Amino acid sequence: MEQANPMAPSDKGDSSQQPFGKFKPNREVIKFNENIINNNVNAASVACRFDKKQKQSSSIIINHAIGAHYTLFQSLHYISYSRTLHKRHKLVLTCQQRTEGTIRGKASESKAFMENLSQADATELVKSITPLLDSGRHKGQAGKIAVIGGCREYTGAPYFAAISALKIGADLSHVFCTREAAIVIKSYSPELIVHPVLEESYSIKVDEKESVRNKVLADVSKWIERFDCIVVGPGLGRDPFLLECVREIILLARRGNTPLVIDGDGLFLVTNNPELVAGYSLAILTPNVNEHKRLVQKVMEQDQSPLGDKNGMKDKDAPQQLQMLSMQMGGVTILQKGKTDLISDGNKVYGVSIFGSPRRCGGQGDILSGSVAVFSSWARYGAISDKNDMKFRFSSNPAILGAIAGSVLMRKAASVAFEQHKRSTLTTNIIEVLGKRICNIFKSSALKAFTFEPHCRI
């Protein structure tokens, strides 16, 4: 008898079953999904025990298993993380280790997985995402961004992320931080809306934690649905109580389908609790080299990546590792910062290698997170041009488009700042040229913007 699919839509049309716009996970659905994974793992394991003549059939079985499970995972949109993803990871590793044509394969095969964007393509993509200036628009329509971060020790990072969003073209930029950080951040710029609502452990008594946590969540929840994107992590710190509150804020954002960009100490929180963003297609992670390594070790449960050798990850294998990581987290978009920025949502890997700056001053990642938040929100709300070739060539995922555009603009701005300041280049120098770089991208129409004609690009 054919097994019934518990994910089939109900005729009753119960809206309570669709909190994320898709089917709400329940025990029956999760059990159904896990049974499929178990059967696929067992079939793959048996097939792989045969000699080399059987490897081809083994590869077919495994590829079918991966495809079947990934389709299920995407349709669920959100699912219990630990056991399901762990079993899927076992299946993928079986495919890698015991069949031919794996990610450890030939260099030519490895390169085929990544599309390295040319400067012309990258510039055209930024143009296609950036909205038009229109005198008929009102405040807030070009983007409302929030940054969750800022504590006693770190006040610069949330400022960099928030002010970068404004410099690129967002209308409003908010910062949710601790009381001690609020006064400092407000003194940096009157343009930012600062909310001193977060608390750290040292400032509250043990018996007050529950009431303080509820107050923090109440204060944030009043605002959260107004934002087009929330950046979590710049200058957040690692205070346990603060991280506990931010964990609940992330869940609030998920329930409201609010896009997230996770950076800095937000990645520390997500690395230790991957289920916070697993399966959430509106989340973008922006790890650096070390943050990415810790994420791989946690999610893929590998001290040493299976894609590299004893000397570490090979550059040619990095795109495939990123793609695997994104797939195992359920289609979360990941922007891995490096010499070449690698971006993937599990379907394809894009590379941005436009020259930026050899100066590695702190704060550049905060500019990037603010930039990605703005561009992804623009892409999400239909600012993409009607060019069919662009829609076909690049992903239709707004998170991917925003991550690429943010990377491109950050690199171009860093390049200009370095030309001017060389070794003394600071993050503030890069922020100052963000707007100029966008104007340079739209040289022909930038002059029109000063005449205040409708429908001109910034």
Side-chain angles (χ1 to χ4, degrees):
M1 181 181 292
E2 184 178 355
Q3 187 177 5
N5 187 343
M7 289 184 295
S10 171
D11 295 334
K12 298 179 181 179
D14 184 4
S15 61
S16 64
Q17 295 296 313
Q18 300 180 1
F20 300 106
K22 296 197 177 182
F23 304 109
K24 180 179 179 180
N26 53 51
R27 291 186 178 181
E28 186 181 6
V29 170
I30 294 172
K31 185 65 177 176
F32 176 82
N33 201 30
E34 289 181 346
N35 287 340
I36 290 179
I37 300 168
N38 281 329
N39 293 337
N40 289 333
V41 170
N42 293 336
S45 298
V46 170
C48 286
R49 291 190 188 123
F50 295 103
D51 57 23
K52 294 182 179 180
K53 295 181 181 180
Q54 300 295 327
K55 282 187 176 182
Q56 184 175 2
S57 60
S58 171
S59 178
I60 294 173
I61 292 174
I62 294 168
N63 289 334
H64 174 74
I66 292 174
H69 172 60
Y70 189 62
T71 301
L72 288 171
F73 196 99
Q74 290 292 80
S75 69
L76 282 174
H77 190 71
Y78 174 80
I79 195 169
S80 178
Y81 175 79
S82 56
R83 286 187 298 165
T84 302
L85 284 187
H86 177 69
K87 290 174 182 176
R88 186 177 191 284
H89 175 54
K90 268 183 67 177
L91 177 60
V92 174
L93 287 185
T94 302
C95 177
Q96 289 180 329
Q97 295 167 358
R98 300 186 181 181
T99 65
E100 294 178 328
T102 64
I103 295 171
R104 288 192 186 203
K106 301 176 182 179
S108 59
E109 295 174 331
S110 178
K111 291 179 181 178
F113 283 88
M114 183 180 77
E115 179 175 352
N116 203 344
L117 276 69
S118 67
Q119 184 151 325
D121 287 340
T123 299
E124 190 62 29
L125 178 59
V126 175
K127 285 183 180 180
S128 71
I129 292 177
T130 306
L132 304 174
L133 288 177
D134 188 340
S135 58
R137 294 194 177 193
H138 57 75
K139 180 176 65 177
Q141 285 190 311
K144 301 179 291 294
I145 307 300
V147 176
I148 309 294
C151 60
R152 283 186 302 172
E153 291 87 355
Y154 307 113
T155 58
Y159 164 75
F160 291 148
I163 200 67
S164 296
L166 289 179
K167 290 283 188 178
I168 291 171
D171 286 340
L172 296 169
S173 194
H174 297 245
V175 177
F176 291 81
C177 59
T178 64
R179 287 177 294 175
E180 294 80 2
I183 296 176
V184 180
I185 296 173
K186 284 182 178 181
S187 70
Y188 292 152
S189 173
E191 304 289 346
L192 304 180
I193 303 170
V194 183
H195 306 263
V197 299
L198 303 182
E199 297 284 355
E200 294 182 83
S201 300
Y202 78 91
S203 62
I204 57 177
K205 298 178 181 179
V206 176
D207 58 351
E208 296 176 341
K209 285 188 175 182
E210 187 65 28
S211 61
V212 172
R213 183 188 303 109
N214 291 337
K215 184 179 184 303
V216 169
L217 294 178
D219 289 338
V220 176
S221 63
K222 291 185 297 186
W223 291 88
I224 202 165
E225 292 184 356
R226 306 183 189 187
F227 301 127
D228 299 309
C229 189
I230 299 176
V231 182
V232 179
L236 185 62
R238 298 186 180 182
D239 178 80
F241 179 76
L242 182 54
L243 291 178
E244 188 178 336
C245 291
V246 173
R247 180 184 185 279
E248 296 300 321
I249 292 172
I250 292 176
L251 295 177
L252 280 175
R254 286 196 65 156
R255 285 194 284 271
N257 275 338
T258 304
L260 294 167
V261 175
I262 312 292
D263 187 43
D265 290 317
L267 288 169
F268 173 79
L269 176 62
V270 166
T271 298
N272 291 315
N273 304 272
E275 69 279 0
L276 287 176
V277 297
Y280 190 49
S281 61
L282 299 181
I284 305 173
L285 311 185
T286 59
N288 60 26
V289 174
N290 291 324
E291 290 163 342
H292 177 75
K293 181 180 179 180
R294 289 192 289 267
L295 198 58
V296 168
Q297 290 173 347
K298 177 68 176 184
V299 175
M300 300 173 69
E301 298 178 350
Q302 291 289 309
D303 291 333
Q304 195 74 272
S305 167
L307 307 181
D309 53 24
K310 65 181 180 180
N311 295 321
M313 166 63 66
K314 297 177 181 178
D315 288 342
K316 70 181 181 65
D317 291 326
Q320 283 66 56
Q321 185 190 61
L322 179 65
Q323 187 174 33
M324 276 185 58
L325 178 61
S326 179
M327 288 174 65
Q328 291 196 48
M329 296 191 74
V332 171
T333 297
I334 303 176
L335 193 169
Q336 181 186 353
K337 296 176 286 193
K339 183 178 180 181
T340 295
D341 288 345
L342 301 178
I343 302 157
S344 179
D345 59 359
N347 293 316
K348 189 172 182 179
V349 181
Y350 297 90
V352 178
S353 56
I354 296 171
F355 179 75
S357 167
R359 180 83 164 96
R360 309 312 312 152
C361 54
Q364 294 182 67
D366 304 310
I367 298 177
L368 178 64
S369 63
S371 304
V372 169
V374 175
F375 280 119
S376 61
S377 64
W378 284 348
R380 189 186 183 211
Y381 287 104
I384 305 175
S385 69
D386 294 328
K387 294 181 180 179
N388 292 326
D389 57 334
M390 285 297 296
K391 287 188 176 182
F392 174 77
R393 181 170 178 74
F394 297 105
S395 168
S396 60
N397 183 354
I400 286 287
L401 298 175
I404 293 174
S407 172
V408 170
L409 182 62
M410 169 62 202
R411 285 171 173 262
K412 285 180 173 290
S415 176
V416 172
F418 183 74
E419 287 179 7
Q420 297 174 357
H421 302 279
K422 301 302 180 183
R423 191 175 290 273
S424 63
T425 302
L426 299 176
T427 300
T428 50
N429 302 135
I430 300 174
I431 291 173
E432 287 305 314
V433 297
L434 286 173
K436 293 179 181 178
R437 286 311 303 166
I438 293 184
C439 285
N440 287 342
I441 290 175
F442 301 107
K443 284 181 180 179
S444 60
S445 53
L447 294 176
K448 296 180 182 179
F450 290 103
T451 67
F452 297 99
E453 292 181 5
H455 305 295
C456 351
R457 295 191 180 277
I458 55 178

